[in-house]
Amino acid sequence: MEGTAVRGRLTWQVATVGQVIDETATVRTIELQAPDWAGHRAGQHLDVRLTAEDGYSAERSYSIASAPGEPVAITVERLEDGEVSPYLTEELRAGDDLELRGPIGGYFVWDGWHDIGPLLLVAGGSGVVPLRSILRHRGRTGSTVPTRLLYSSRSLPDVIYRAELDRDNGGGVEVIYTLTRAQPPGWTGRAGRVNAAMLAEVAWPAGQDPLAFVCGPTPFVEAVAEGLVGLGYPPPRVKTERFGATGTGAAGGS
Amino acid sequence: MDALDGNAIGGLLHEVFGTEMTAAIGTCATCGAVAPVAETMVYLRAPGTVARCRICTSALMVVVKVRDVNCVDLRGLAALEASANG
């Protein structure tokens, strides 16, 4: 039924690339003008389909980087052995067309209004993308839910959305970086991988009924989710989304 | 290869079921574990797409695309219920 917008159906639609923003040396945000876009919830993703002239096509999932009500945007990390991400991050230009379908997902979403306890966001690398949508949604809706973002990145230059996150820091949102591979001279922030000890220091106490969203590569998400459950978080309060280094997970596929 | 999770097949499942399915609750026919589809372990090139139970690793759902037709095997599921929040 492609090309016919049946209500409730997930149909491929053509979007036009708007502004393209370089976030880091390997990560780019692509704003999309999608006339048939029905709107989305914070944390959802979309599928992108590229079709070669010989008819070969490849699909990948990308988390939506923008808040509900904003033009849809994705943030893509270039994977050297990727099939789709090098095209999206190097070849694609404003005005180009792209096939997409979405929004997708109803589990890893944050609507905001029903929350009582504080919000814990834990990102590994480009896993920050859907969490940025949540943070933007939080800001746009005037939510006052206490929020912490723990963001694990290889180095400071690899931090995606750094200027925006630094602006968000304070005013009800705390942003905590941990740098796993390289720290700049004089770095007073955290270093090393997220582990149980770091979570014990950073995560809201389980008694406050926190809601956690964890997104990153599979081993990262497994370790963080296990750590949070170990701290007494009930599993249903720990929402997870995993992506593979060369796979096609929802947050930053190849 | 690390497994992904059910979020990664949200689009495929929407195509198959005609609605959002990642928040749907599945019951494993093998061990009885109950979990959202988003929390299953997913392998995209198995070949075909396979979602496994995170507790006992039994195959819950297998989707294989043959000439643009999705062939769906749900015998690993005892139940699959749409979520009110979906």
Side-chain angles (χ1 to χ4, degrees), chain A residues 118-145:
Chain A
L119 190 58
L120 178 68
L121 310 175
V122 188
S126 58
V128 74
V129 176
L131 308 183
R132 188 250 205 156
S133 173
I134 291 175
L135 282 173
R136 283 200 162 191
H137 187 48
R138 181 192 178 282
R140 285 166 56 90
T141 55
S143 165
T144 55
V145 63

PDB file of all heavy atoms in Angstrom, chain A residues 118-145:
ATOM      1  N   PRO A 118      11.556  11.291  39.854  1.00  0.00           N
ATOM      2  CA  PRO A 118      12.530  11.951  38.986  1.00  0.00           C
ATOM      3  C   PRO A 118      12.921  11.096  37.789  1.00  0.00           C
ATOM      4  O   PRO A 118      12.632   9.900  37.735  1.00  0.00           O
ATOM      5  CB  PRO A 118      13.723  12.162  39.920  1.00  0.00           C
ATOM      6  CG  PRO A 118      13.584  11.114  40.970  1.00  0.00           C
ATOM      7  CD  PRO A 118      12.120  10.861  41.145  1.00  0.00           C
ATOM      8  N   LEU A 119      13.564  11.743  36.836  1.00  0.00           N
ATOM      9  CA  LEU A 119      13.895  11.117  35.565  1.00  0.00           C
ATOM     10  C   LEU A 119      15.410  10.913  35.486  1.00  0.00           C
ATOM     11  O   LEU A 119      16.182  11.845  35.732  1.00  0.00           O
ATOM     12  CB  LEU A 119      13.420  12.052  34.453  1.00  0.00           C
ATOM     13  CG  LEU A 119      13.400  11.594  33.009  1.00  0.00           C
ATOM     14  CD1 LEU A 119      12.533  10.358  32.819  1.00  0.00           C
ATOM     15  CD2 LEU A 119      12.873  12.743  32.136  1.00  0.00           C
ATOM     16  N   LEU A 120      15.810   9.690  35.159  1.00  0.00           N
ATOM     17  CA  LEU A 120      17.232   9.380  34.978  1.00  0.00           C
ATOM     18  C   LEU A 120      17.453   8.959  33.533  1.00  0.00           C
ATOM     19  O   LEU A 120      16.828   8.006  33.060  1.00  0.00           O
ATOM     20  CB  LEU A 120      17.663   8.244  35.918  1.00  0.00           C
ATOM     21  CG  LEU A 120      19.125   7.808  35.776  1.00  0.00           C
ATOM     22  CD1 LEU A 120      20.073   8.904  36.248  1.00  0.00           C
ATOM     23  CD2 LEU A 120      19.381   6.515  36.533  1.00  0.00           C
ATOM     24  N   LEU A 121      18.307   9.683  32.837  1.00  0.00           N
ATOM     25  CA  LEU A 121      18.628   9.358  31.454  1.00  0.00           C
ATOM     26  C   LEU A 121      20.082   8.913  31.409  1.00  0.00           C
ATOM     27  O   LEU A 121      20.958   9.617  31.912  1.00  0.00           O
ATOM     28  CB  LEU A 121      18.429  10.588  30.557  1.00  0.00           C
ATOM     29  CG  LEU A 121      17.090  11.323  30.700  1.00  0.00           C
ATOM     30  CD1 LEU A 121      17.072  12.596  29.845  1.00  0.00           C
ATOM     31  CD2 LEU A 121      15.918  10.416  30.308  1.00  0.00           C
ATOM     32  N   VAL A 122      20.337   7.745  30.821  1.00  0.00           N
ATOM     33  CA  VAL A 122      21.703   7.245  30.752  1.00  0.00           C
ATOM     34  C   VAL A 122      22.026   6.922  29.293  1.00  0.00           C
ATOM     35  O   VAL A 122      21.345   6.101  28.674  1.00  0.00           O
ATOM     36  CB  VAL A 122      21.915   5.997  31.633  1.00  0.00           C
ATOM     37  CG1 VAL A 122      23.394   5.626  31.684  1.00  0.00           C
ATOM     38  CG2 VAL A 122      21.385   6.229  33.044  1.00  0.00           C
ATOM     39  N   ALA A 123      23.049   7.585  28.760  1.00  0.00           N
ATOM     40  CA  ALA A 123      23.383   7.458  27.346  1.00  0.00           C
ATOM     41  C   ALA A 123      24.788   6.918  27.171  1.00  0.00           C
ATOM     42  O   ALA A 123      25.719   7.320  27.859  1.00  0.00           O
ATOM     43  CB  ALA A 123      23.285   8.816  26.650  1.00  0.00           C
ATOM     44  N   GLY A 124      24.945   6.006  26.215  1.00  0.00           N
ATOM     45  CA  GLY A 124      26.267   5.589  25.764  1.00  0.00           C
ATOM     46  C   GLY A 124      26.431   6.038  24.324  1.00  0.00           C
ATOM     47  O   GLY A 124      25.696   5.595  23.454  1.00  0.00           O
ATOM     48  N   GLY A 125      27.360   6.940  24.059  1.00  0.00           N
ATOM     49  CA  GLY A 125      27.627   7.399  22.692  1.00  0.00           C
ATOM     50  C   GLY A 125      26.398   8.007  22.048  1.00  0.00           C
ATOM     51  O   GLY A 125      25.723   8.857  22.644  1.00  0.00           O
ATOM     52  N   SER A 126      26.069   7.545  20.825  1.00  0.00           N
ATOM     53  CA  SER A 126      24.935   8.138  20.118  1.00  0.00           C
ATOM     54  C   SER A 126      23.600   7.707  20.710  1.00  0.00           C
ATOM     55  O   SER A 126      22.546   8.117  20.231  1.00  0.00           O
ATOM     56  CB  SER A 126      24.993   7.817  18.621  1.00  0.00           C
ATOM     57  OG  SER A 126      25.003   6.423  18.409  1.00  0.00           O
ATOM     58  N   GLY A 127      23.636   6.923  21.773  1.00  0.00           N
ATOM     59  CA  GLY A 127      22.420   6.629  22.531  1.00  0.00           C
ATOM     60  C   GLY A 127      21.810   7.865  23.157  1.00  0.00           C
ATOM     61  O   GLY A 127      20.683   7.832  23.669  1.00  0.00           O
ATOM     62  N   VAL A 128      22.518   8.975  23.097  1.00  0.00           N
ATOM     63  CA  VAL A 128      21.991  10.224  23.644  1.00  0.00           C
ATOM     64  C   VAL A 128      20.870  10.800  22.764  1.00  0.00           C
ATOM     65  O   VAL A 128      20.101  11.649  23.218  1.00  0.00           O
ATOM     66  CB  VAL A 128      23.136  11.263  23.806  1.00  0.00           C
ATOM     67  CG1 VAL A 128      23.576  11.828  22.467  1.00  0.00           C
ATOM     68  CG2 VAL A 128      22.746  12.377  24.780  1.00  0.00           C
ATOM     69  N   VAL A 129      20.769  10.333  21.524  1.00  0.00           N
ATOM     70  CA  VAL A 129      19.843  10.978  20.581  1.00  0.00           C
ATOM     71  C   VAL A 129      18.379  10.965  21.056  1.00  0.00           C
ATOM     72  O   VAL A 129      17.758  12.022  21.157  1.00  0.00           O
ATOM     73  CB  VAL A 129      19.992  10.388  19.161  1.00  0.00           C
ATOM     74  CG1 VAL A 129      18.963  10.980  18.216  1.00  0.00           C
ATOM     75  CG2 VAL A 129      21.408  10.621  18.634  1.00  0.00           C
ATOM     76  N   PRO A 130      17.804   9.798  21.395  1.00  0.00           N
ATOM     77  CA  PRO A 130      16.399   9.835  21.842  1.00  0.00           C
ATOM     78  C   PRO A 130      16.251  10.552  23.188  1.00  0.00           C
ATOM     79  O   PRO A 130      15.192  11.102  23.485  1.00  0.00           O
ATOM     80  CB  PRO A 130      16.021   8.358  21.956  1.00  0.00           C
ATOM     81  CG  PRO A 130      17.320   7.636  22.139  1.00  0.00           C
ATOM     82  CD  PRO A 130      18.330   8.421  21.352  1.00  0.00           C
ATOM     83  N   LEU A 131      17.326  10.551  23.981  1.00  0.00           N
ATOM     84  CA  LEU A 131      17.268  11.221  25.282  1.00  0.00           C
ATOM     85  C   LEU A 131      17.272  12.731  25.097  1.00  0.00           C
ATOM     86  O   LEU A 131      16.678  13.474  25.884  1.00  0.00           O
ATOM     87  CB  LEU A 131      18.444  10.771  26.166  1.00  0.00           C
ATOM     88  CG  LEU A 131      18.590   9.251  26.303  1.00  0.00           C
ATOM     89  CD1 LEU A 131      19.729   8.898  27.248  1.00  0.00           C
ATOM     90  CD2 LEU A 131      17.279   8.626  26.798  1.00  0.00           C
ATOM     91  N   ARG A 132      17.918  13.194  24.027  1.00  0.00           N
ATOM     92  CA  ARG A 132      17.869  14.628  23.713  1.00  0.00           C
ATOM     93  C   ARG A 132      16.448  15.044  23.320  1.00  0.00           C
ATOM     94  O   ARG A 132      15.997  16.131  23.679  1.00  0.00           O
ATOM     95  CB  ARG A 132      18.847  14.908  22.571  1.00  0.00           C
ATOM     96  CG  ARG A 132      19.027  16.383  22.292  1.00  0.00           C
ATOM     97  CD  ARG A 132      18.397  16.787  20.980  1.00  0.00           C
ATOM     98  NE  ARG A 132      19.053  17.984  20.463  1.00  0.00           N
ATOM     99  CZ  ARG A 132      19.070  18.329  19.190  1.00  0.00           C
ATOM    100  NH1 ARG A 132      18.471  17.575  18.298  1.00  0.00           N
ATOM    101  NH2 ARG A 132      19.669  19.432  18.798  1.00  0.00           N
ATOM    102  N   SER A 133      15.748  14.153  22.617  1.00  0.00           N
ATOM    103  CA  SER A 133      14.344  14.444  22.296  1.00  0.00           C
ATOM    104  C   SER A 133      13.536  14.567  23.584  1.00  0.00           C
ATOM    105  O   SER A 133      12.697  15.467  23.731  1.00  0.00           O
ATOM    106  CB  SER A 133      13.771  13.336  21.402  1.00  0.00           C
ATOM    107  OG  SER A 133      12.388  13.510  21.215  1.00  0.00           O
ATOM    108  N   ILE A 134      13.809  13.678  24.533  1.00  0.00           N
ATOM    109  CA  ILE A 134      13.112  13.721  25.826  1.00  0.00           C
ATOM    110  C   ILE A 134      13.442  15.032  26.561  1.00  0.00           C
ATOM    111  O   ILE A 134      12.548  15.707  27.086  1.00  0.00           O
ATOM    112  CB  ILE A 134      13.488  12.487  26.682  1.00  0.00           C
ATOM    113  CG1 ILE A 134      12.891  11.215  26.064  1.00  0.00           C
ATOM    114  CG2 ILE A 134      13.033  12.664  28.132  1.00  0.00           C
ATOM    115  CD1 ILE A 134      13.301   9.913  26.756  1.00  0.00           C
ATOM    116  N   LEU A 135      14.714  15.399  26.582  1.00  0.00           N
ATOM    117  CA  LEU A 135      15.113  16.639  27.269  1.00  0.00           C
ATOM    118  C   LEU A 135      14.460  17.857  26.623  1.00  0.00           C
ATOM    119  O   LEU A 135      13.994  18.771  27.314  1.00  0.00           O
ATOM    120  CB  LEU A 135      16.642  16.801  27.239  1.00  0.00           C
ATOM    121  CG  LEU A 135      17.431  15.957  28.237  1.00  0.00           C
ATOM    122  CD1 LEU A 135      18.923  16.085  27.968  1.00  0.00           C
ATOM    123  CD2 LEU A 135      17.108  16.364  29.673  1.00  0.00           C
ATOM    124  N   ARG A 136      14.427  17.881  25.300  1.00  0.00           N
ATOM    125  CA  ARG A 136      13.784  19.003  24.612  1.00  0.00           C
ATOM    126  C   ARG A 136      12.297  19.053  24.910  1.00  0.00           C
ATOM    127  O   ARG A 136      11.716  20.112  25.105  1.00  0.00           O
ATOM    128  CB  ARG A 136      14.001  18.884  23.104  1.00  0.00           C
ATOM    129  CG  ARG A 136      15.379  19.286  22.670  1.00  0.00           C
ATOM    130  CD  ARG A 136      15.366  19.619  21.202  1.00  0.00           C
ATOM    131  NE  ARG A 136      16.548  20.411  20.872  1.00  0.00           N
ATOM    132  CZ  ARG A 136      16.713  21.029  19.712  1.00  0.00           C
ATOM    133  NH1 ARG A 136      15.783  20.951  18.784  1.00  0.00           N
ATOM    134  NH2 ARG A 136      17.807  21.727  19.483  1.00  0.00           N
ATOM    135  N   HIS A 137      11.672  17.873  24.940  1.00  0.00           N
ATOM    136  CA  HIS A 137      10.240  17.798  25.227  1.00  0.00           C
ATOM    137  C   HIS A 137       9.977  18.292  26.652  1.00  0.00           C
ATOM    138  O   HIS A 137       9.022  19.022  26.902  1.00  0.00           O
ATOM    139  CB  HIS A 137       9.755  16.371  25.045  1.00  0.00           C
ATOM    140  CG  HIS A 137       8.266  16.199  25.142  1.00  0.00           C
ATOM    141  ND1 HIS A 137       7.391  17.012  24.459  1.00  0.00           N
ATOM    142  CD2 HIS A 137       7.496  15.322  25.840  1.00  0.00           C
ATOM    143  CE1 HIS A 137       6.141  16.635  24.738  1.00  0.00           C
ATOM    144  NE2 HIS A 137       6.181  15.614  25.577  1.00  0.00           N
ATOM    145  N   ARG A 138      10.853  17.891  27.551  1.00  0.00           N
ATOM    146  CA  ARG A 138      10.753  18.340  28.942  1.00  0.00           C
ATOM    147  C   ARG A 138      10.791  19.860  29.004  1.00  0.00           C
ATOM    148  O   ARG A 138       9.987  20.496  29.693  1.00  0.00           O
ATOM    149  CB  ARG A 138      11.910  17.752  29.764  1.00  0.00           C
ATOM    150  CG  ARG A 138      11.893  18.127  31.228  1.00  0.00           C
ATOM    151  CD  ARG A 138      13.208  17.752  31.899  1.00  0.00           C
ATOM    152  NE  ARG A 138      13.215  18.165  33.299  1.00  0.00           N
ATOM    153  CZ  ARG A 138      13.412  19.407  33.712  1.00  0.00           C
ATOM    154  NH1 ARG A 138      13.633  20.375  32.834  1.00  0.00           N
ATOM    155  NH2 ARG A 138      13.385  19.696  34.999  1.00  0.00           N
ATOM    156  N   GLY A 139      11.739  20.451  28.279  1.00  0.00           N
ATOM    157  CA  GLY A 139      11.875  21.902  28.274  1.00  0.00           C
ATOM    158  C   GLY A 139      10.681  22.592  27.640  1.00  0.00           C
ATOM    159  O   GLY A 139      10.162  23.583  28.164  1.00  0.00           O
ATOM    160  N   ARG A 140      10.216  22.057  26.517  1.00  0.00           N
ATOM    161  CA  ARG A 140       9.132  22.710  25.780  1.00  0.00           C
ATOM    162  C   ARG A 140       7.806  22.630  26.505  1.00  0.00           C
ATOM    163  O   ARG A 140       6.938  23.482  26.318  1.00  0.00           O
ATOM    164  CB  ARG A 140       8.997  22.078  24.385  1.00  0.00           C
ATOM    165  CG  ARG A 140      10.094  22.503  23.416  1.00  0.00           C
ATOM    166  CD  ARG A 140      10.119  21.623  22.188  1.00  0.00           C
ATOM    167  NE  ARG A 140       8.853  21.575  21.481  1.00  0.00           N
ATOM    168  CZ  ARG A 140       8.513  22.403  20.510  1.00  0.00           C
ATOM    169  NH1 ARG A 140       9.329  23.341  20.117  1.00  0.00           N
ATOM    170  NH2 ARG A 140       7.333  22.274  19.908  1.00  0.00           N
ATOM    171  N   THR A 141       7.619  21.568  27.311  1.00  0.00           N
ATOM    172  CA  THR A 141       6.339  21.422  28.002  1.00  0.00           C
ATOM    173  C   THR A 141       6.374  22.054  29.385  1.00  0.00           C
ATOM    174  O   THR A 141       5.388  22.003  30.117  1.00  0.00           O
ATOM    175  CB  THR A 141       5.960  19.932  28.161  1.00  0.00           C
ATOM    176  OG1 THR A 141       7.042  19.251  28.814  1.00  0.00           O
ATOM    177  CG2 THR A 141       5.705  19.280  26.812  1.00  0.00           C
ATOM    178  N   GLY A 142       7.529  22.627  29.756  1.00  0.00           N
ATOM    179  CA  GLY A 142       7.612  23.277  31.059  1.00  0.00           C
ATOM    180  C   GLY A 142       7.594  22.300  32.214  1.00  0.00           C
ATOM    181  O   GLY A 142       7.266  22.671  33.342  1.00  0.00           O
ATOM    182  N   SER A 143       7.979  21.034  31.926  1.00  0.00           N
ATOM    183  CA  SER A 143       8.011  20.033  32.996  1.00  0.00           C
ATOM    184  C   SER A 143       9.051  20.425  34.039  1.00  0.00           C
ATOM    185  O   SER A 143      10.111  20.949  33.713  1.00  0.00           O
ATOM    186  CB  SER A 143       8.357  18.664  32.405  1.00  0.00           C
ATOM    187  OG  SER A 143       8.733  17.766  33.434  1.00  0.00           O
ATOM    188  N   THR A 144       8.733  20.171  35.302  1.00  0.00           N
ATOM    189  CA  THR A 144       9.682  20.482  36.368  1.00  0.00           C
ATOM    190  C   THR A 144      10.239  19.206  36.998  1.00  0.00           C
ATOM    191  O   THR A 144      10.845  19.250  38.059  1.00  0.00           O
ATOM    192  CB  THR A 144       8.995  21.319  37.467  1.00  0.00           C
ATOM    193  OG1 THR A 144       7.836  20.611  37.913  1.00  0.00           O
ATOM    194  CG2 THR A 144       8.596  22.683  36.949  1.00  0.00           C
ATOM    195  N   VAL A 145      10.005  18.058  36.338  1.00  0.00           N
ATOM    196  CA  VAL A 145      10.486  16.803  36.917  1.00  0.00           C
ATOM    197  C   VAL A 145      12.021  16.859  37.025  1.00  0.00           C
ATOM    198  O   VAL A 145      12.710  17.194  36.058  1.00  0.00           O
ATOM    199  CB  VAL A 145       9.985  15.585  36.100  1.00  0.00           C
ATOM    200  CG1 VAL A 145      10.525  15.585  34.679  1.00  0.00           C
ATOM    201  CG2 VAL A 145      10.348  14.290  36.787  1.00  0.00           C
TER     202      VAL A 145
END
